């Protein structure tokens, strides 16, 4: 990927180290800055190196649906829920609407998710990909933050992408290690434009290219779309 070699190396180095210690990393930045592209590259690296993969993505229309993102993330592991302590099992199944009961205690849900992930990671190193975290429901964010702080004993990495809030408010997953993506330098933005133009249906003259680079201001998605 153009212009993100340093950031991708940082992510893959962290991934390679999870054999001895789990990790969490939040990639943040403006819309279109390349967060999802970086996550995709990390996913390909992990898959090629034998990691198991679990993931979820925030959806703006689902922000008020409790545990929606969490269900997407861990539902492939539901078959292992019988190994959990009874109270944790009950809390998780109730949260997902798979059992009747009172509103579940989020501590128990967090412990249940952590237990499922640790059990899965004991069989195979895991990469958890969480994209568009700014659109996850709050209950999912609470559990993910809880789990992310307790990964030291599991060979897995939680890699999240979140958009920088425009209003200066506290971003989701606050307090976790972060990797901030900024605009591409001029030469790398020009390289990305040149790669994009290889598939362009018509010739774009030098003046138009300069205008695109000026208007995009180092934002990779803007370079491509303009």
């Amino acid at each position: 990927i153009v212009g993100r070699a340093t950031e991708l190396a940082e992510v893959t180095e962290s991934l390679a180290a999870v054999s001895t210690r789990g990790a969490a990393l939040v990639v943040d930045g403006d819309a279109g800055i390349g967060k999802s592209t970086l996550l995709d590259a990390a996913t390909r690296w992990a898959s090629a190196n034998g990691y198991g993969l679990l993931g979820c993505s925030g959806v703006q229309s689902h922000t008020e649906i409790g545990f929606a993102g969490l269900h997407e993330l861990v539902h492939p592991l539901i078959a292992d829920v019988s190994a959990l302590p009874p109270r944790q099992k009950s809390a998780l199944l109730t949260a997902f609407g798979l059992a009747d009961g009172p509103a579940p205690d989020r501590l128990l849900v967090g412990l249940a998710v952590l237990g499922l992930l640790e059990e899965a990671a004991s069989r195979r190193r895991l990469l958890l990909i969480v994209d568009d975290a700014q659109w996850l429901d709050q209950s999912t964010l609470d559990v993910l933050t809880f789990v992310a702080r307790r990964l030291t004993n599991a060979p897995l990495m939680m890699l999240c992408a979140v958009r920088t809030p425009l209003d200066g408010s506290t971003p989701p997953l606050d307090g976790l290690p972060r990797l901030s993506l900024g605009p591409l330098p001029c030469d790398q933005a020009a390289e990305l434009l040149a790669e994009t133009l290889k598939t362009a249906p018509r010739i774009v003259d030098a003046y138009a290219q300069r205008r695109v680079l000026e208007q995009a201001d180092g934002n990779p998605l803007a370079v491509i779309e303009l």
Side-chain angles (χ1 to χ4, degrees):
I1 54 179
V2 175
R4 300 299 185 200
T6 300
E7 292 86 348
L8 180 57
E10 182 174 338
V11 172
T12 55
E13 286 172 6
S14 296
L15 259 174
V18 300
S19 294
T20 56
R21 182 181 178 87
L25 183 64
V26 178
V27 180
D28 61 11
D30 296 336
I33 208 67
K35 302 181 296 296
S36 295
T37 300
L38 183 61
L39 264 60
D40 288 343
T43 300
R44 291 193 297 272
W45 186 94
S47 180
N49 285 274
Y51 288 69
L53 301 171
L54 293 171
C56 67
S57 296
V59 179
Q60 196 167 10
S61 61
H62 291 177
T63 55
E64 301 301 322
I65 301 177
F67 299 108
L70 191 66
H71 180 266
E72 181 184 359
L73 181 69
V74 302
H75 79 84
L77 306 179
I78 288 296
D80 298 329
V81 74
S82 59
L84 293 172
R87 293 181 63 206
Q88 293 181 26
K89 173 184 174 181
S90 177
L92 188 64
L93 292 179
T94 302
F96 290 164
L98 299 175
D100 294 328
D105 184 306
R106 290 192 183 181
L107 173 61
L108 291 175
V109 174
L111 290 171
V113 171
L114 181 61
L116 285 178
L117 294 175
E118 288 180 339
E119 176 63 25
S122 70
R123 300 189 294 267
R124 183 185 187 188
R125 291 177 298 177
L126 285 180
L127 172 61
L128 312 181
I129 293 289
V130 180
D131 203 1
D132 285 325
Q134 72 278 356
W135 289 329
L136 288 173
D137 57 281
Q138 189 59 51
S139 52
T140 291
L141 288 171
D142 291 344
V143 172
L144 291 181
T145 302
F146 174 88
V147 169
R149 296 178 181 278
R150 293 163 174 80
L151 295 179
T152 54
N153 296 323
L156 65 90
M157 180 175 183
M158 182 187 296
L159 182 61
C160 309
V162 61
R163 185 178 299 179
T164 302
L166 295 177
D167 58 3
S169 60
T170 301
L173 305 171
D174 186 42
L176 299 179
R178 303 186 95 77
L179 173 63
S180 296
L181 300 186
L184 294 177
C186 294
D187 60 333
Q188 293 175 349
E191 180 185 351
L192 177 60
L193 178 58
E195 289 294 321
T196 303
L197 290 176
K198 289 180 180 179
T199 59
R202 61 185 176 85
I203 299 299
V204 180
D205 61 41
Y207 171 75
Q209 291 184 40
R210 287 197 301 272
R211 290 286 291 149
V212 166
L213 292 174
E214 290 169 2
Q215 294 297 316
D217 195 25
N219 184 294
L221 183 61
V223 170
I224 294 169
E225 293 298 325
L226 290 175

